[in-house]
Amino acid sequence: RALALLKFSDQPLLVDVGGNIGQSVLSLYTVFPDATVVSFEPNPAVFHKLQRLTRKFPRLTVIPNGLSDQTGEAELFVPAYNGNILTGLASFDYENAKSWLSPERVLRFDPAKLTVLSKRLSLVRLDDCGLQPDFIKIDVQGLEPRVLAGGLTTIRTYRPVIMAETI
């Protein structure tokens, strides 16, 4: 509902950091059907699902990188519980990836059923992407400050609306 309150040019550039399987992309195109959306999703397990949305939305670009405050590589940690891989809780921070699953949040939690998978993936800085965003959504499981730090010049220059998850 908050998206509908935003006013942009006829064809805004919307950036989706932490695209997952495209939940935010679908919401963005529902409200802004003429937008260009650039979605960053480093996890190959969900990147391909997200990329399929480009068939329906030709103004969508999906980039297989994570955003951070520096360019390079980092380990992405993906929790799994009882054999179910939980890509929406993946994080470049190990503790963040596993801490959501706990006795406080999962009925009859059994720590023996929790595993954390990992994969080394590429990171880039928003400032190095050459984008002029009107809006940036950031949901990266606790590492939002690093994404913001890597995009300070872009943010100062273009003054986008920012919607970020907080813990």
Side-chain angles (χ1 to χ4, degrees):
R1 287 189 237 170
L3 289 175
L5 300 175
L6 300 175
K7 303 296 178 209
F8 298 121
S9 65
D10 290 341
Q11 295 181 336
L13 174 60
L14 314 176
V15 176
D16 174 25
V17 184
N20 198 260
I21 60 172
Q23 305 92 316
S24 293
V25 167
L26 294 172
S27 293
L28 292 170
Y29 276 118
T30 297
V31 178
F32 305 105
D34 297 323
T36 295
V37 177
V38 177
S39 185
F40 291 86
E41 178 49 60
N43 187 346
V46 292
F47 170 83
H48 297 292
K49 292 177 183 177
L50 178 59
Q51 192 174 38
R52 285 187 209 139
L53 289 176
T54 60
R55 293 181 202 140
K56 182 174 182 177
F57 303 109
R59 297 178 60 93
L60 169 63
T61 300
V62 182
I63 299 175
N65 296 107
L67 288 185
S68 190
D69 55 350
Q70 52 190 300
T71 299
E73 289 188 343
E75 204 75 17
L76 180 71
F77 301 99
V78 184
Y81 188 74
N82 200 25
N84 297 306
I85 298 172
L86 305 167
T87 59
L89 299 177
S91 177
F92 286 104
D93 178 89
Y94 176 82
E95 287 303 318
N96 195 293
K98 77 169 202 163
S99 66
W100 197 91
L101 298 166
S102 65
E104 294 79 32
R105 294 189 170 138
V106 178
L107 183 65
R108 294 187 210 112
F109 177 76
D110 179 355
K113 294 180 180 179
L114 174 63
T115 58
V116 179
L117 313 168
S118 68
K119 184 166 183 76
R120 196 137 188 91
L121 301 171
S122 296
L123 298 175
V124 297
R125 294 172 353 111
L126 178 62
D127 284 343
D128 298 332
C129 295
L131 299 173
Q132 300 176 18
D134 295 290
F135 174 84
I136 303 172
K137 169 245 141 184
I138 309 169
D139 183 355
V140 291
Q141 301 309 111
L143 297 178
E144 290 77 8
R146 289 189 190 172
V147 173
L148 292 168
L152 285 178
T153 299
T154 299
I155 292 164
R156 286 182 182 128
T157 302
Y158 300 105
R159 315 279 299 162
V161 172
I162 297 173
M163 181 174 73
E165 178 185 46
T166 60
I167 295 178

